[in-house]
Amino acid sequence: MIDKYRTLFNESFTDQKYQEFQDNIARDFDYLPTFRMAETPFFISNELKNQLLEGCNDVIKLIQQNDFKVLTEKSLTLNTKVPNEDAHTTFLAIDFGICEEDGKIIPKLIEVQGFPSLFNYQYILYNKFKKFYPFLNDLTPFINDISGEAYLAIIEEAICNNHPKEHVILLEIEPEKQNTKIDFYYCKRDLGIPIVCVTEVVKKGKQLFYTNENGQEIQIKRIYNRVIFDELALRKDLNLSFSFSDDLDIEWAGHLNWFFRISKFILPLLKGKYFIETTLLSDLKSIPTDLENYVLKPLFSFSGSGVIFHVKKEDIEAVVDKDLYILQKKVQYIPIVQSPDGKVKAEVRVLCVWKKNDPAPTLLCNLVRLSRGEMIGVKFNKDKDWVGGTLGLFEK
């Protein structure tokens, strides 16, 4: 999108440099991420950046409505409702596919999540790219061109809410087995927050405890939650001493109810040029005859699980819980990132935090996924290069 930097990058790129780039990340924790790291950043023009910000602000306007909790209350009746919900979400991730409409490039909202993403890893990724491509110092992944130190301070405040670090934990299901564990490692290193498995938490009355590296039992006062509910529901083998629906003496960095409220559940409520025609299956008057132009998606799945890309009438008819599925019009992703052998599609996730007393979220950073396949995601990009996770860079 920014021709100058695309040319500079492609002329500087070599397979050997890409391998050294990966090795440099792997050396930090003697661990190479299991997800594919894309070879290149995505260079985002000011025009596209302004479109992304306009789309984000349109999403935020809906979430800021006084009746938003009323509009989304049904999402909680369909799932596990957790006590002591706060006034607004702590985290917001807004995903846009870079598409083509009427011959013009336009971002289209694919998904929105009231859930944290790879906040710590993306910051490190920027520094790694600059190490191997020094001219990238002229660009920034931060929406408002803040410093890296200011970025980390905002993330720390959102996660810790001024609690001592030892009383804040990053909570996950078997964190050592998660694809995103590289983010956990950087979070622990750079913010000093321990990583704890759900099975290691002990409940005493309304309080929760974990055992630190010195064998001391420490009260948990705030949880940076990375547990995905659909994964937890499948893990019948896990022995937990507490339930997420318990009334606990705890603060949540990312209260769990927002995972459901801000999800695909709100896509049918969003109208405008950056939004895709989306219908809750229970509201569908009749099955479209041109189903090749639609995608069927479960509301609360994660990482694309359960999505049916080539929809048949029987697929829709077979859905029992029609309140839990949406039918969404397909959009035309435009191949936009110039690789050595053709162009690649892109999806941009804008990462936001909403500090406790702020009137609105702060748009901070981004995550980009590149694809040559039919959809974004690993299973559509096997054995391909110049695909996978990366970040977008803006002009300062």
Side-chain angles (χ1 to χ4, degrees):
M1 289 292 295
I2 308 175
D3 291 338
K4 171 187 173 181
Y5 291 103
R6 174 49 58 209
T7 300
L8 272 172
F9 187 91
N10 287 20
E11 288 177 349
S12 303
F13 176 82
T14 64
D15 288 335
Q16 180 181 349
K17 191 179 288 189
Y18 173 58
Q19 185 61 55
E20 291 170 354
F21 165 76
Q22 293 183 90
D23 292 344
N24 190 266
I25 291 176
R27 277 197 296 274
D28 284 347
F29 304 103
D30 193 23
Y31 166 73
L32 183 68
T34 51
F35 57 83
R36 193 180 195 282
M37 292 181 286
E39 284 83 343
T40 178
F42 178 32
F43 302 115
I44 299 176
S45 67
N46 284 329
E47 181 182 2
L48 179 57
K49 177 185 178 181
N50 289 334
Q51 288 179 308
L52 289 166
L53 297 188
E54 188 178 351
C56 286
N57 287 328
D58 286 346
V59 172
I60 290 168
K61 284 175 190 173
L62 172 67
I63 297 170
Q64 286 179 306
Q65 286 182 194
N66 291 332
D67 63 347
F68 183 74
K69 284 195 175 184
V70 175
L71 290 172
T72 58
E73 193 65 21
K74 190 177 180 181
S75 69
L76 302 184
T77 65
L78 298 169
N79 295 284
T80 301
K81 189 170 184 177
V82 177
N84 305 315
E85 181 180 330
D86 43 10
H88 55 71
T89 186
T90 307
F91 303 103
L92 193 59
I94 309 174
D95 292 2
F96 293 92
I98 307 306
C99 300
E100 184 176 33
E101 187 174 77
D102 300 326
K104 296 181 180 179
I105 294 170
I106 185 169
K108 289 286 188 176
L109 182 74
I110 303 301
E111 190 165 356
V112 55
Q113 300 167 9
F115 193 77
S117 192
L118 306 183
F119 283 100
N120 287 88
Y121 171 73
Q122 292 304 110
Y123 162 72
I124 296 298
L125 190 60
Y126 173 50
N127 293 328
K128 299 294 186 182
F129 269 123
K130 287 192 297 181
K131 179 180 177 69
F132 289 89
Y133 303 93
F135 57 85
L136 297 182
N137 274 298
D138 297 338
L139 303 172
T140 178
F142 305 123
I143 303 296
N144 296 309
D145 190 23
I146 58 176
S147 68
E149 292 76 14
Y151 173 79
L152 283 180
I154 293 169
I155 298 301
E156 180 177 327
E157 182 180 344
I159 293 173
C160 297
N161 193 30
N162 298 314
H163 286 285
K165 304 287 183 65
E166 67 174 354
H167 294 294
V168 183
I169 66 164
L170 187 159
L171 187 68
E172 179 55 289
I173 301 166
E174 297 181 331
E176 72 283 356
K177 296 181 181 178
Q178 299 292 337
N179 281 335
T180 51
K181 69 179 178 180
I182 187 71
D183 184 65
F184 308 162
Y185 292 162
Y186 285 122
C187 184
K188 180 180 179 181
R189 187 192 75 179
D190 296 340
L191 300 185
I193 298 166
I195 305 165
V196 179
C197 179
V198 290
T199 58
E200 296 168 349
V201 173
V202 176
K203 180 184 175 186
K204 296 182 179 181
K206 294 178 66 174
Q207 296 179 337
L208 299 181
F209 297 82
Y210 77 100
T211 301
N212 69 11
E213 293 176 348
N214 297 321
Q216 299 168 304
E217 191 171 70
I218 305 293
Q219 184 182 350
I220 303 166
K221 296 185 178 179
R222 188 168 171 88
I223 292 176
Y224 178 31
N225 181 57
R226 302 298 292 263
V227 175
I228 302 297
F229 265 107
D230 60 339
E231 181 182 356
L232 185 64
L234 295 173
R235 293 298 305 272
K236 307 298 184 186
D237 58 313
L238 297 174
N239 183 22
L240 274 62
S241 77
F242 75 104
S243 169
F244 285 91
S245 59
D246 291 340
D247 185 8
L248 299 167
D249 182 15
I250 211 85
E251 288 181 12
W252 297 96
H255 191 283
L256 291 87
N257 290 353
W258 292 104
F259 175 81
F260 300 112
R261 289 190 186 278
I262 303 175
S263 63
K264 297 184 191 77
F265 186 85
I266 68 171
L267 297 184
L269 303 176
L270 291 161
K271 311 294 180 186
K273 63 181 178 180
Y274 299 115
F275 307 129
I276 305 167
E277 177 191 313
T278 305
T279 307
L280 193 64
L281 221 53
S282 56
D283 293 336
L284 192 67
K285 305 300 182 192
S286 60
I287 297 176
T289 55
D290 60 336
L291 283 176
E292 68 276 8
N293 295 319
Y294 291 85
V295 182
L296 183 64
K297 297 180 177 180
L299 283 179
F300 303 113
S301 68
F302 211 71
S303 299
S305 62
V307 174
I308 300 178
F309 194 74
H310 300 289
V311 188
K312 299 182 180 64
K313 184 179 178 182
E314 309 87 77
D315 296 324
I316 296 174
E317 291 173 339
V319 174
V320 177
D321 295 319
K322 290 186 166 50
D323 280 337
L324 297 176
Y325 280 78
I326 54 171
L327 192 66
Q328 189 175 60
K329 204 81 179 280
K330 284 181 183 176
V331 289
Q332 187 64 46
Y333 280 71
I334 182 171
I336 195 171
V337 176
Q338 183 64 59
S339 79
D341 62 344
K343 292 189 175 182
V344 181
K345 302 169 189 174
E347 191 171 286
V348 179
R349 172 176 294 175
V350 179
L351 303 179
C352 321
V353 300
W354 196 338
K355 291 188 283 188
K356 187 175 181 179
N357 297 316
D358 284 1
T362 300
L363 279 60
L364 278 180
C365 191
N366 73 88
L367 180 156
V368 170
R369 292 182 293 176
L370 303 181
S371 173
R372 294 180 188 259
E374 197 168 36
M375 286 180 67
I376 303 290
V378 174
K379 65 182 178 182
F380 295 96
N381 287 281
K382 288 180 180 177
D383 305 319
K384 294 180 172 69
D385 62 3
W386 286 62
V387 299
T390 184
L391 80 167
L393 295 177
F394 308 110
E395 294 176 278
K396 293 183 180 180

